[in-house]
């Protein structure tokens, strides 16, 4: 956390009072997981096949609910990230030595962030919302590729292919700036 977010509530009458600075010890909650699987095989006639899958996730959060002087500082911060990916490949070797390869893949990353800061006044009961930031981001890529190699003679090879890529990006940020 940023201590400067908290210190403006403990200033003396003449400005910043270093004797009353907010000093908190936080214990954050952090979790990380991932999964990765690959399988490959050489099929009949020297054909190749593989599949690869990946998933990852991490979550980080902490909360502050701390009485300081005559107010209660209330801060909640949370960040989550999720990544997924998959790829499938098939390579065909034809009888005459020509080859064809097909690759299909997906990759995606999602991220969300939330930071909420308020000051609660117990008497009279009142909440002052100082900051509320929410952010959600998504990035995805879809790919399909097909390529071929044709032997024209012993010294010349013709290569050709086609591919499709689609990228998607979504960025959303909601800032509730009150002070």
């Amino acid at each position: 956390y940023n201590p400067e977010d908290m210190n403006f509530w403990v200033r003396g009458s003449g400005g910043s009072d270093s004797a009353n600075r907010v000093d908190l010890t936080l214990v954050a909650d952090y979790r990380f997981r991932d999964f990765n699987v690959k399988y490959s095989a050489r099929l009949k006639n020297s054909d190749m096949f593989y599949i690869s899958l990946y998933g990852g996730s991490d979550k980080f959060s902490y909360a502050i609910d701390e009485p300081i002087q005559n107010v209660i500082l209330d801060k909640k911060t949370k960040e989550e990230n999720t990544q997924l990916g998959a790829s499938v490949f098939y390579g065909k070797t034809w009888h005459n030595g020509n080859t064809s390869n097909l690759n299909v893949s997906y990759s995606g990353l999602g991220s969300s962030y939330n930071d909420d800061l308020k000051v609660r006044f117990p008497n009279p009961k009142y909440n002052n919302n100082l900051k509320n930031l929410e952010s959600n981001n998504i990035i995805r890529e879809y790919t399909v590729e097909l390529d071929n190699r044709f032997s024209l003679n012993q010294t010349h090879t013709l290569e050709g292919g086609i591919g499709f890529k689609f990228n998607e990006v979504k960025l959303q940020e909601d800032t509730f700036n009150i002070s």
Side-chain angles (χ1 to χ4, degrees), residues 6-61:
M6 311 294 182
N7 286 329
F8 64 92
W9 283 104
V10 292
R11 292 186 182 147
S13 59
S16 181
D17 183 356
S18 63
N20 290 321
R21 307 232 0 127
V22 174
D23 185 20
L24 300 172
T25 302
L26 293 177
V27 177
D29 182 24
Y30 182 71
R31 186 184 76 185
F32 174 78
R33 306 262 195 285
D34 74 340
F35 176 79
N36 195 351
V37 173
K38 293 183 180 184
Y39 173 78
S40 63
R42 183 167 299 277
L43 307 174
K44 62 181 178 179
N45 300 327
S46 298
D47 292 358
M48 288 289 298
F49 171 80
Y50 74 77
I51 185 168
S52 178
L53 304 171
Y54 173 78
S57 171
D58 65 286
K59 295 181 181 183
F60 171 81
S61 65

Side-chain angles (χ1 to χ4, degrees), residues 94-107:
W94 301 98
H95 296 292
N96 56 5
N98 296 335
T99 60
S100 298
N101 297 311
L102 175 65
N103 189 19
V104 178
S105 62
Y106 165 82
S107 178

Side-chain angles (χ1 to χ4, degrees), residues 44-171:
K44 62 181 178 179
N45 300 327
S46 298
D47 292 358
M48 288 289 298
F49 171 80
Y50 74 77
I51 185 168
S52 178
L53 304 171
Y54 173 78
S57 171
D58 65 286
K59 295 181 181 183
F60 171 81
S61 65
Y62 68 88
I64 298 172
D65 190 358
E66 190 72 28
I68 296 177
Q69 293 182 351
N70 296 324
V71 298
I72 298 171
L73 295 176
D74 187 351
K75 180 174 175 63
K76 293 177 180 61
T77 301
K78 181 179 179 181
E79 182 175 347
E80 295 184 25
N81 298 295
T82 302
Q83 185 175 0
L84 299 172
S87 180
V88 176
F89 172 86
Y90 181 76
K92 172 76 176 161
T93 302
W94 301 98
H95 296 292
N96 56 5
N98 296 335
T99 60
S100 298
N101 297 311
L102 175 65
N103 189 19
V104 178
S105 62
Y106 165 82
S107 178
L109 172 66
S111 178
S112 67
Y113 177 78
N114 188 321
D115 190 21
D116 185 26
L117 173 62
K118 63 181 135 187
V119 176
R120 297 192 326 252
F121 296 88
N123 193 9
K125 192 172 184 175
Y126 170 72
N127 290 340
N128 185 4
N129 294 317
L130 300 173
K131 180 164 87 172
N132 184 352
L133 171 65
E134 290 184 29
S135 173
N136 294 298
N137 305 308
I138 297 172
I139 300 170
R140 295 184 183 126
E141 180 176 273
Y142 305 87
T143 304
V144 177
E145 297 172 321
L146 175 66
D147 64 77
N148 296 286
R149 293 176 56 106
F150 302 102
S151 233
L152 300 177
N153 56 41
Q154 289 185 345
T155 58
H156 294 91
T157 302
L158 177 65
E159 294 183 12
I162 188 167
F164 170 79
K165 281 191 190 260
F166 177 74
N167 293 298
E168 178 182 17
V169 177
K170 292 182 182 179
L171 304 172

